[in-house]
Amino acid sequence: MGAGETVAPRTGDRETAAVEAGLDALDSAPAGSGRVPLGRLLRERVLPPLAAAVVVLLLWQAVYEAEVKPDYLLPSPADVWGALSDQWYEGTLLSTVWTSMERGALGFAVAVVLGTALGLLLGAVRPLRFAVGPVLSGLQSLPSVAWVPAAVVWFGLTDATIYAVILLGAVPSIANGLLSGVDQVPPLYLRAGRVLGARGPARVRHVLLPAALPGYLAGLKQGWAFAWRSLMAAELIASSPELGLGLGQLLENARSYQDMALVLATIAEILTVGIAVDLLLFAPLERRVLRTRGLAGARP
């Protein structure tokens, strides 16, 4: 080979160079490149649920016009809107929603503390997990309404009954979600934490919980759903003037008066609160977790 000749790069070298160039491009990508533009956000995440709601309302109105059921059994969307308007003008709409939201938020906060502590304990003590884990899974599958009669006998018609039902419904889900996240933590992370001196609470805070965050967040989301459903079940059955008027009590009162417009309006309020909490609290947290793990583009 002469001194002036050049050597053509081999195929393997070209492929390696292409991979390296791609990795360099990923490293140099702007930090905000994973954010969805506002127009696309409205088109993909706002318009579809609005369109679905419009379709449901049109079908509902069509069934009402067809007189499948008498209007006192199946009121029209306008009648339900009238029931909501009456609550607003009477000043009871926000107070009723707030009563249930306050109970749900407080009960869920306590459930997060207890469920997190229980999940960490079971994750650290394997024999205890083998003993308590099946019971925890059984409690998670048990309908929350089954606890209401027992809670009424234990605590009477008081707030303690409602909070007990919320905790029994939410704590197992949160603990199981955390356990699921802990099981998926790579052992290398834990060994690296020990090498760096992370032990005890520091290990839990800086290594275990961040690594288990996706499963833990899923458990929190499911725990809130169970807490909200448990609260509605408790308010429906444990109804008393001393407890104040929450959404569950309002639903039971509307049923006793056979006011179907108010029944459907209250169901719409319960559904709206559940959707709002998911969209305003859990959805942003999920997107942030995915973004920090480089998975923002993995979801539609």
Side-chain angles (χ1 to χ4, degrees):
M1 181 181 299
E5 296 180 7
T6 58
V7 180
R10 291 175 297 180
T11 303
D13 295 337
R14 290 196 299 268
E15 293 177 352
T16 302
V19 172
E20 291 176 351
L23 293 175
D24 291 340
L26 286 176
D27 290 337
S28 61
S33 59
R35 295 183 178 178
V36 181
L38 180 59
R40 180 182 172 188
L41 181 67
L42 293 175
R43 185 174 64 254
E44 295 183 357
R45 298 180 184 174
V46 177
L47 290 181
L50 287 179
V54 170
V55 170
V56 170
L57 290 175
L58 291 176
L59 291 175
W60 180 0
Q61 183 66 34
V63 173
Y64 174 78
E65 295 291 344
E67 298 183 352
V68 175
K69 291 285 186 180
D71 56 359
Y72 63 87
L73 294 180
L74 181 63
S76 68
D79 294 332
V80 175
W81 179 258
L84 287 171
S85 300
D86 290 341
Q87 290 185 69
W88 175 263
Y89 290 124
E90 292 169 2
T92 59
L93 178 61
L94 295 181
S95 63
T96 303
V97 173
W98 174 251
T99 298
S100 293
M101 278 295 299
E102 186 178 22
R103 288 171 176 165
L106 179 58
F108 178 66
V110 177
V112 169
V113 175
L114 297 179
T116 301
L118 181 59
L120 292 174
L121 177 63
L122 296 182
V125 184
R126 304 293 291 183
L128 185 61
R129 179 176 180 177
F130 293 144
V132 180
V135 178
L136 205 62
S137 299
L139 289 174
Q140 186 176 357
S141 63
L142 183 68
S144 303
V145 68
W147 287 110
V148 179
V152 170
V153 173
W154 291 335
F155 305 108
L157 294 176
T158 63
D159 284 331
T161 293
I162 294 177
Y163 289 122
V165 175
I166 293 175
L167 294 178
L168 289 168
V171 169
S173 297
I174 296 172
N176 278 331
L178 180 54
L179 283 173
S180 176
V182 169
D183 289 341
Q184 298 174 23
V185 175
L188 179 61
Y189 290 3
L190 303 179
R191 290 197 295 268
R194 284 196 297 268
V195 170
L196 295 174
R199 289 179 172 82
R203 174 176 175 267
V204 172
R205 178 183 175 184
H206 297 292
V207 180
L208 194 60
L209 284 180
L213 191 55
Y216 182 39
L217 184 57
L220 291 176
K221 184 176 180 179
Q222 189 178 48
W224 163 254
F226 274 84
W228 188 241
R229 291 184 345 191
S230 302
L231 172 62
M232 292 302 105
E235 288 185 347
L236 270 169
I237 299 177
S239 180
S240 171
E242 290 77 13
L243 292 175
L245 186 64
L247 289 171
Q249 291 99 325
L250 180 62
L251 187 61
E252 174 61 19
N253 292 343
R255 182 207 61 81
S256 63
Y257 290 119
Q258 296 186 351
D259 187 348
M260 282 303 300
L262 185 56
V263 167
L264 294 179
T266 308
I267 292 174
E269 294 171 38
I270 296 171
L271 182 63
T272 300
V273 171
I275 294 174
V277 171
D278 182 68
L279 292 179
L280 299 178
L281 178 61
F282 291 107
L285 287 175
E286 286 179 336
R287 288 195 297 270
R288 183 173 181 180
V289 169
L290 290 174
R291 199 160 47 236
T292 56
R293 282 161 171 75
L295 301 174
R299 295 180 64 185

